[in-house]
């Protein structure tokens, strides 16, 4: 008998092999990790509850320079762990694996499996092949093998879910390596997307986030440029779905029909993440971003005209090659005008394989750092002012699990408001404690740049118990090996392969 015959639940050892997935990067990577976990569990692995896992999977990002450092630092730490853990395997996947291919095995020969963004479903087979053959396995496909949504999923949340509507990107931004790693845009059919959303809702979720590299260009593959707005409106008709979000749109493709769909569809939340990247038109041209600052600000004006309480966030790159002080001042000007609720600000770093990597006039580190600090200071002030304006306002908060690290000490719970702001709220002594997935009504009492503090309007916390909270209860009971019945009329849910199990 070989180890390949034995499979992950070896006949020589009745205990199934355990796994852990570590995620670096964006929401797309987080959702991909749910697929990786689902594929492993479908193959007989179980999630590691304590101690070091038998299989550690690292799902990598390649967007920023420190992605390499983070990966190889993690692999260095795991090397010593692996020496002490007989039979342990290490797998590296995702964007950095797609980009570096055999480099990972050259720098970290103790890695067992390297796989790319296009063949996540191959992971269980690659792990078994590595065990059977006693040598590392490298498999990087250059095009999509199967749309990720056909893979089994282990959701990280019972009340909220990710839904991919497209993968890949047709743009050619000079700083971005993603198109070469994830390929050209591939769109799912609307019926497939809506069916997946309905299945998530039937399983207890009340919030979904639609994912795409340029989510609002959805439909380009099958020739319908209005498809994204139609999809938002269709999601609004799904009974039981309370909150719809999406990320990330591209300003060049952001059209008024999408704004109308957002404003006119009750469960589409008043929140928008719109990447700016730079406020300088000259730098936007060098980045091959096919919009200019005036168009960008015009989009924000139209969004706020239809949804006055919308919270808008953004991405900004500081120190792109050739950026002058005048260019940077343009960015500060646009940020001041835009009044973003929050901004993800990044210092430009060279990514080999991108056009920007070979541009002249790469800026000195100290110049980029100084500008970065000025931008962060400005945005912190704006975020604080925007949040301070919400003090005294009532907000509906979807209670989350694990959002606030200090909440237990302060007798608080946390969640997201409809506009996605993070809310920490007090639970009065003797009050019923809401479950993750329930919705509470609270009043904002204090503001900081990054979160709000809230409290009940009266002596007791106003709680709306939801199907999502019921799903949380079922999941907790099942994790303790206590079977619980589904609500009356509920049906079993399968997504992708018939092995899906909500976490």
């Amino acid at each position: 008998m070989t180890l390949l015959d034995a499979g992950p639940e070896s006949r020589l050892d009745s205990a199934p092999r355990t796994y852990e997935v570590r995620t670096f990067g964006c929401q797309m990577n987080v959702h991909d990790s749910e697929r990786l976990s689902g594929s492993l569990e479908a193959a007989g692995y179980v999630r590691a509850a304590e101690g070091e896992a038998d299989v550690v999977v690292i799902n990598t990002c390649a967007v920023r320079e420190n992605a390499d450092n983070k990966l190889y630092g993690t692999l260095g730490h795991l090397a010593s762990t692996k020496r002490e853990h007989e039979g342990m395997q290490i797998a590296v996947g995702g964007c950095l694996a797609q980009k570096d291919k055999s480099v990972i095995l050259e720098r970290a020969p103790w890695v067992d499996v390297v796989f790319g963004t296009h063949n996540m479903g191959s992971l269980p087979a690659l792990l078994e092949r590595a065990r059977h053959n006693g040598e590392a396995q490298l498999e990087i496909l250059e095009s999509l093998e199967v749309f990720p949504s056909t893979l089994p999923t282990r959701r990280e949340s019972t009340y909220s879910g990710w839904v991919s509507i497209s993968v890949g990107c047709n743009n050619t931004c000079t700083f971005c390596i993603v198109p070469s790693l994830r390929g050209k845009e591939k769109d799912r059919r609307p019926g497939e997307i809506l069916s997946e959303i309905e299945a998530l809702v039937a399983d207890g979720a009340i919030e979904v986030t639609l994912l795409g590299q340029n989510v609002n260009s959805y439909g380009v593959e099958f020739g319908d440029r209005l498809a994204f707005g139609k999809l938002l409106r269709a999601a609004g008709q799904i009974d039981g779905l309370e909150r719809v979000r999406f990320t990330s749109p591209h300003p060049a493709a952001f059209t008024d029909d999408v704004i109308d769909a957002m404003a006119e569809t009750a469960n589409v939340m008043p929140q928008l993440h719109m990447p700016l990247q730079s406020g300088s038109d000259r730098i936007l041209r060098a980045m091959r971003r096919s919009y200019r600052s005036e168009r960008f600000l015009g989009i924000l004006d139209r969004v706020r005209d239809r949804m006055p309480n919308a919270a808008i966030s953004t991405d900004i790159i500081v120190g792109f090659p050739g950026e002058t002080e005048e260019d940077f001042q343009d960015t500060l000007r646009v940020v001041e005008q835009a009044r973003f609720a929050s901004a993800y600000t990044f210092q430009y770093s060279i990514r080999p394989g991108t056009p920007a990597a070979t541009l002249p006039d790469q800026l000195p580190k100290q110049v980029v750092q100084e500008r970065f600090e000025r931008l962060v200071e400005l945005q912190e002030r704006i975020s604080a002012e925007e949040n301070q304006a919400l003090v005294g306002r009532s907000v509906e908060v979807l209670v989350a699990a694990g959002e606030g690290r200090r909440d237990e000490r302060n007798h608080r719970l946390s969640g997201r408001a409809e506009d996605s702001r993070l809310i920490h709220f007090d639970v009065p002594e003797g009050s019923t404690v809401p479950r993750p997935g329930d919705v509470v009504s609270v009043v904002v009492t204090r503001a900081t740049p990054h979160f709000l503090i809230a409290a009940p309007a009266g002596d007791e916390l106003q709680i709306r118990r939801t199907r999502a909270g019921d799903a949380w209860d079922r999941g907790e009971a099942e994790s303790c090996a206590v079977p619980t019945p589904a609500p009356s009329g509920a049906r079993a849910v399968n997504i992708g392969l018939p092995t899906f199990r909500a976490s």
Side-chain angles (χ1 to χ4, degrees):
M1 181 186 68
T2 67
L3 284 175
L4 185 62
D5 295 327
E9 193 168 342
S10 172
R11 296 167 196 163
L12 301 176
D13 180 357
S14 60
R17 285 172 63 76
T18 61
Y19 78 90
E20 173 192 0
V21 178
R22 302 184 186 183
T23 308
F24 303 157
C26 65
Q27 294 97 329
M28 297 288 283
N29 276 31
V30 172
H31 187 40
D32 285 348
S33 290
E34 293 185 333
R35 305 290 184 192
L36 292 171
S37 297
S39 295
L40 288 170
E41 293 193 3
Y45 295 81
V46 298
R47 196 172 196 175
E50 55 185 36
E52 197 65 50
D54 298 317
V55 174
V56 176
V57 183
I58 304 173
N59 189 14
T60 63
C61 172
V63 173
R64 288 179 287 281
E65 184 177 26
N66 66 357
D68 302 60
N69 299 332
K70 188 171 185 179
L71 170 63
Y72 292 110
T74 300
L75 291 177
H77 173 75
L78 287 174
S80 58
T81 304
K82 186 177 180 181
R83 284 193 291 269
E84 304 297 324
H85 187 142
E86 184 179 359
M88 180 180 175
Q89 291 181 292
I90 302 170
V92 179
C95 290
L96 196 60
Q98 188 78 24
K99 179 176 77 74
D100 285 356
K101 300 179 174 67
S102 58
V103 173
I104 292 173
L105 293 178
E106 292 169 5
R107 293 185 60 177
W110 55 91
V111 169
D112 298 274
V113 171
V114 178
F115 63 101
T117 58
H118 299 311
N119 60 321
M120 293 187 297
S122 301
L123 176 59
L126 292 171
L127 288 166
E128 288 308 304
R129 197 185 306 162
R131 293 176 69 203
H132 180 267
N133 296 344
E135 62 182 16
Q137 300 296 305
L138 169 67
E139 185 174 288
I140 305 289
L141 300 185
E142 295 304 321
S143 60
L144 194 65
E145 183 180 53
V146 60
F147 201 94
S149 293
T150 64
L151 299 174
T153 303
R154 185 193 197 282
R155 286 169 49 211
E156 293 301 317
S157 168
T158 54
Y159 48 86
S160 183
W162 310 99
V163 176
S164 290
I165 69 171
S166 64
V167 294
C169 178
N170 293 338
N171 291 319
T172 58
C173 302
T174 55
F175 57 81
C176 184
I177 199 168
V178 168
S180 66
L181 302 180
R182 291 190 178 263
K184 292 291 187 180
E185 181 173 327
K186 303 290 258 183
D187 294 333
R188 296 174 71 194
R189 287 288 168 178
E192 294 177 13
I193 296 166
L194 295 171
S195 292
E196 181 175 347
I197 296 173
E198 288 170 349
L200 289 171
V201 172
D203 205 45
I206 61 174
E207 176 184 73
V208 297
T209 300
L210 307 178
L211 294 178
Q213 214 67 53
N214 291 305
V215 70
N216 58 318
S217 66
Y218 171 74
V220 65
E221 191 182 23
F222 49 84
D224 185 353
R225 296 190 176 276
L226 303 179
F228 186 62
K230 294 175 184 176
L231 184 64
L232 291 178
R233 292 182 187 276
Q237 302 302 310
I238 296 176
D239 187 40
L241 179 60
E242 298 188 14
R243 296 186 175 194
V244 177
R245 307 186 189 278
F246 58 88
T247 194
S248 291
H250 193 294
F254 204 83
T255 50
D256 286 351
D257 67 291
V258 173
I259 297 173
D260 292 341
M262 293 175 66
E264 295 166 9
T265 308
N267 63 1
V268 175
M269 293 294 95
Q271 175 225 344
L272 178 64
H273 183 77
M274 180 73 82
L276 169 65
Q277 307 303 5
S278 175
S280 162
D281 290 349
R282 190 180 74 85
I283 294 299
L284 288 172
R285 279 192 292 271
M287 290 177 166
R288 293 186 196 157
R289 300 286 286 180
S290 48
Y291 57 89
R292 300 296 173 255
S293 60
E294 183 177 357
R295 171 175 168 76
F296 184 93
L297 289 169
I299 292 171
L300 304 197
D301 287 342
R302 293 196 298 278
V303 169
R304 286 175 172 141
D305 181 61
R306 297 300 310 274
M307 293 170 285
N309 295 327
I312 301 174
S313 56
T314 196
D315 297 331
I316 302 173
I317 297 172
V318 177
F320 187 80
E323 181 189 77
T324 65
E325 177 62 24
E326 183 180 1
D327 293 321
F328 180 66
Q329 287 296 326
D330 283 341
T331 295
L332 295 181
R333 172 184 57 81
V334 172
V335 168
E336 187 75 71
Q337 288 182 249
R339 305 297 296 180
F340 296 116
S342 62
Y344 297 92
T345 52
F346 308 101
Q347 298 185 38
Y348 172 78
S349 59
I350 293 175
R351 305 309 296 143
T354 63
T358 58
L359 288 177
D361 301 323
Q362 302 284 335
L363 271 60
K365 170 67 176 174
Q366 61 270 27
V367 172
V368 179
Q369 180 67 36
E370 189 272 337
R371 289 178 185 171
F372 175 78
E373 290 173 0
R374 277 192 280 159
L375 176 60
V376 169
E377 182 180 8
L378 171 62
Q379 183 56 51
E380 291 271 303
R381 173 178 63 77
I382 293 171
S383 295
E385 291 170 355
E386 292 296 302
N387 284 350
Q388 184 62 37
L390 300 176
V391 172
R393 181 178 298 178
S394 297
V395 291
E396 299 283 301
V397 179
L398 176 58
V399 182
E403 285 275 21
R405 287 174 290 182
R406 298 188 302 251
D407 287 346
E408 184 175 348
R409 186 179 68 203
N410 293 329
H411 305 291
R412 287 181 181 142
L413 294 176
S414 298
R416 296 280 170 177
E418 291 185 337
D419 63 9
S420 199
R421 282 181 167 92
L422 177 61
I423 311 285
H424 302 301
F425 59 93
D426 296 322
V427 179
E429 186 174 349
S431 176
T432 301
V433 177
R435 307 159 300 178
D438 287 339
V439 176
V440 300
S441 299
V442 290
V443 176
V444 178
T445 59
R446 185 163 67 87
T448 78
H450 304 291
F451 59 85
L452 300 170
I453 301 295
D459 294 334
E460 290 192 11
L461 188 61
Q462 295 182 41
I463 303 170
R464 177 166 61 83
R465 293 173 68 86
T466 68
R467 296 178 307 99
D470 295 340
W472 169 269
D473 278 344
R474 292 196 302 274
E476 288 294 286
E478 289 164 5
S479 70
C480 298
V482 179
T484 54
S488 176
R491 59 184 178 85
V493 176
N494 290 316
I495 294 180
L497 302 180
T499 49
F500 174 82
R501 179 173 65 81
S503 61

